Structure formats: C-alpha cells, structure tokens
Amino acid sequence: MLAPRCTGLRFRFGLSMALGLIATQNVSLAESKTDVEDLGGGERRVTLTQSVEPSFHIEPIVHRFEARRGTTIPFRFEIKSTGKAMNVTVMPVQLRQEVTGIILHDDLAAAPDELRFTTPTEFELAPGESTYLEGEVTVPLALSNYLSFGVLVRDNGYVAEKKADPNDPTRISAGVRFVTQYVLRIDIETGVKDVSQMNRLQFEHGSVRNNLGMPVAQTFLVNPTDFAFECNVRGTIESATTSRPKPFQMMLPSRVNLQGEERYLVRVMPQSRVQVSAPVDELLFPGDQTLRLEVTNGRRGLVNQEFNVNVGQGDYPALEVRQAYLDHELSVQPAQIEVGDIAGASRSGNLRFTNNSVRPKNVVAELVDLDGNVINDVTLSSDNFDVRPGRTKTIRIAVSSSSDAEKTKYGDIRLRVKDDESGESVQSIPLAMSFGDAPKTDVTVGELAKVEKNGFTSFGLIVTNNGTGFVPVHADLQVADGSGRTMDLADGFGRWLRPGETRELAFVPQSTLTAGQYQIALSLKTTPDEVPVERTLVIDLDPQISESATE
C-alpha cells in the first residue's frame, strides 16, 4: 500500500487538484508552504508543499479467515477518528492487482454479491469518536485455495481553498480537495484440495537480467481465470551439463521487504498479471542456459515452463567478483582471497572449484608474488588435483606455520587447467597475505565522462592504483532527472585493482536517457579507512545544443 504523504505538488495558474490516497492510514492537511519560481516569458511555476498527519485509523487492515465453501463468516472493523469530523461512506468493491503485486480496488467492476454489511454504510464521526463496520461474507463454491474481498472506506473530504487577494490581483492561489480512503481486505483460505484451475496459470517472458551487476531471474505470472490463488514459484537455471541445479524461490516486488517464508508467498488475483523475480547466487557459465519455472502448491508441482537464456562472460560483473571463470566450464570461488594474521583477516580459507563440463578437469596450482617468485608464507592442501564432471572440489589455503612475515604481501594463485579436449589454459586469482601494516592506498580518480554511442548515453570513470598493494574499488552512480525520478547504477563491486593498474568503470543505464537536465551523484569507495570520493554534476542532454557539465 502507498505511504500516506503529499509533498511537492506543482500547479500552473488557476490549477486545482483532487487527491485520492489509498493508504494504511488516512491523512489530513496539516500545514502548507508555497514557492514561486519565475520561468521567464511571463510564466511562473508554483510549488505547493503539503505535510500531512493521520486523521483516522482502521483496524485491522486485513482480516484473514479459514473457512469451507458455502460458509457465512461475520467480520468487524473498528474505525476511529483522531483529528476531525468525518463524513464516511463504506462500500464493497472488487479488487484488482498491479504488476508489482499491490492489491487495489477496481472502480469499474461490480461490487461482489457475497459481501453484505449489517451496519450503516454512510455515517458521520466526530473528532475522537469510534465505531464498528460489521457485516458478513459467504464463501462461494470456487475451485480456489484463496479468496479475497474488498471494502472501500472513504472520508468524503473537504476543500482547502485559498481565495484571491484583492490587494494583489497577480497573486497565484490554488485549491486542493483531499479525498482519503482505505482499501480493506477480507482474505479467506478455503482449504480446497482440487486446485485444477491453478493449472491454467501461465508464465510469460522468462529472462535473467542484470541488476547492479548481479543476475536476477524474472518472469510474469498470468492468471487468466476468474479465481484468485495463493502459490509459490520456484526456478532453476540449467545447462546440458548441469547435474545439480540450485533452486531459488521467486517473489513479488510488493513482498521483498518481508521476512521468512512469507516473502515467497505469491498471491495472484483474477485476470491479473504479476511480476516475480529472484536473485541468482550461483555462477552462470557462458553459453545457452535454460530457465525452468514451476508453480507449486505445498509440495505439489503444477505448472512448468522453460525459457532459453544466453549468458555471456562479463554479463554479471558483481557475481564474477565472488566467483571467477577459469575457462568456460570451470570456476573457482572466491575470485580473490585474503589470508593473514591481522584483525579482520583469517589464517585460512577455502577455494571451491566447480566443473560444469562432461569431462574431468586437472588443476595445477602455484602461489607466486607480483614478481613471479614462489610464495612460502601460504600453503595449499593440494596443488595438483582433478575436478570430476558436474562436481565440485574444495582446496584449503592457510598461512604457513613457519611464516615469519612482518608486512602485507601480494601475489596470485596461478592455476593451470587441463582436459583431454580443450588442452591447457592458465588463469590467476589475486591473493593478499596480510601481515603487519598494509601499504598506504594511493588511488587517482579521473573526471566522470559522458559517453555517447549510437544515440545512447552512458557514463565512464577512469581509476588508477598508484600504490604497491591491491585496492578494492566500488562506485555508485545515481542519475536524477528534472522530475525527481532516479536511476541507480554501479560498477567495480569490490574487485581489487592491481598495483599500477588503470581501469575504466562503466555506468550503463538500462533505458535511454531522454533530452533534459540531469543531476549525477557519484560515490566511489576503496579501503574502509579511506574517505569515499563524492562528486555531484549537473548535465544537459540535448542532441540539438552543445552539451555542458558543471560541478
């Protein structure tokens, strides 16, 4: 449900507005502030900023019952005025669902016949007065495990009007009519075992997208029936050689902030289409993959669909900071590892190798410093081993018991991977051996650059490590347009920058930025003891005029 607020309302000359709030708390106008901006050419813009406060409460917002079909259930809601006299209308309403999963009332559909009120549906409440909304609902004979009925409670509102000032005829005034309302729900678990109608649910447009560097499985669940359902949606991502895919539970955007199993409950209303998604934590190997989706009711699997997805190396850079590709079929986790004796570092850790092929892989490991010399301060439990097809292999890495190191060292775990078909390849993952004090961080951050290619705008940032040790780099970029809408972008994701290395961070919007003025806020972080680099820019995007950027 929407949070009760009303801020930043904008008006042109003589414009008024009716505001309808669907909220967990009704609201009333508390105070206002007016700002006038001269736009030139005799035109001015008025910004009315209204703050609001609760005016009445209803408890509960949602009634939840368990009842058999044909049963009549009594219900009662308590309504209490907290700040003003109210003129209240109550009515049963059909419900509709947005793609996010939020349930609202449907102004166009006929009211449900199953719901009746036994108390007045129109009445007045004095400040501080309370009363009860009472009625009953008859559970219809529907082949559904879940039913939901709506109750609309509306305070018919008042007009906060500003009259013209006779001493200043040019003064701008605006009137706002506040109509506030609650949408209450009566949810019923029917216990129906025959949910054959749920088999008509369909998945639409299954995909795996990039969200701030991480893969997110996403699809739309379509309910073409006249029944509501509660279910779960489970997914896996598989390839021809995947033997044990890791399943994940998908959720509605409206439930992502819930805790526990509740967040995975998918409630889909009649004739609705909702988005469900889930973060994917396992490494996705390059090539063709299959996204398998399933609707479940308890332990029963009902609807199954498959979607083809193609994964490219570098598609999910944040995931590749956790897990590294050694070739297109073998990975190792983590992709960069630290061991040592200082606070915050562990004396040992694990390297987990995953073989996504049908052939065994032989791995020969060697520890070397940045000059290529063999490292003796850290040891591996095995430096020559096989990883079986479709399986994993864990190797332990630890600080050597004979190490007498006094300062932090840096190097690589050099990995030679061989199989009978692909031959040999060599890859390395960075290794930090933390002893004593780490060298001072010395990072140069260039200017944020706007990159135009084929009419598409993105942003780039050059970062250089001038120090002698590895430095983690992460940058967030927020792009805000003139109306206040924001877009969050990121790159770096904590990947270590090697000594002397220069890297360009790329911030690529998922949609085209239209012409207009934008505010760009950059925050770049390195080591915890270094102050983040903060920059704010204002840029104009317009292909017809020269582009500018001011700090």
Side-chain angles (χ1 to χ4, degrees), residues 208-224:
V208 180
R209 61 183 180 86
N210 182 325
N211 181 34
L212 297 179
M214 290 293 291
V216 174
Q218 178 178 295
T219 188
F220 294 92
L221 182 63
V222 180
N223 181 5

Side-chain angles (χ1 to χ4, degrees), residues 79 138 216 223 239 461:
I79 175 173
T138 300
V216 174
N223 181 5
S239 68
L461 183 71

Side-chain angles (χ1 to χ4, degrees), residues 238-310:
E238 306 173 22
S239 68
T241 57
T242 304
S243 59
R244 297 178 182 177
K246 182 180 178 182
F248 44 82
Q249 292 274 56
M250 307 186 77
M251 68 194 83
L252 295 163
S254 60
R255 303 184 74 83
V256 294
N257 293 324
L258 298 179
Q259 300 299 318
E261 293 301 313
E262 272 291 301
R263 68 193 315 221
Y264 301 115
L265 178 65
V266 176
R267 182 178 293 131
V268 56
M269 302 302 290
Q271 305 295 330
S272 296
R273 175 180 180 267
V274 295
Q275 175 186 305
V276 289
S277 61
V280 180
D281 293 328
E282 60 181 339
L283 187 65
L284 302 180
F285 284 88
D288 293 329
Q289 310 280 331
T290 299
L291 172 62
R292 301 186 190 276
L293 301 171
E294 182 180 36
V295 173
T296 63
N297 179 33
R299 295 183 178 182
R300 297 171 58 189
L302 299 173
V303 178
N304 291 274
Q305 280 183 248
E306 297 180 0
F307 297 91
N308 295 325
V309 295
N310 184 269

Side-chain angles (χ1 to χ4, degrees), residues 369-389:
D369 62 20
L370 295 179
D371 294 324
N373 301 314
V374 174
I375 293 173
N376 296 315
D377 297 296
V378 178
T379 60
L380 297 171
S381 60
S382 176
D383 58 9
N384 190 334
F385 52 90
D386 292 327
V387 186
R388 291 186 292 170

Side-chain angles (χ1 to χ4, degrees), residues 338-339 342 370 406-411 431-443 465-472 496-500 526-530:
E338 178 186 23
V339 292
I342 66 170
L370 295 179
E406 297 180 352
K407 65 178 182 178
T408 295
K409 299 180 180 180
Y410 300 93
L431 169 65
M433 297 151 285
S434 300
F435 306 100
D437 296 329
K440 184 176 176 56
T441 301
D442 183 7
V443 174
N465 180 7
N466 303 307
T468 58
F470 295 148
V471 178
W496 294 347
L497 198 65
R498 292 176 175 272
T526 55
T527 56
D529 57 334
E530 291 292 325

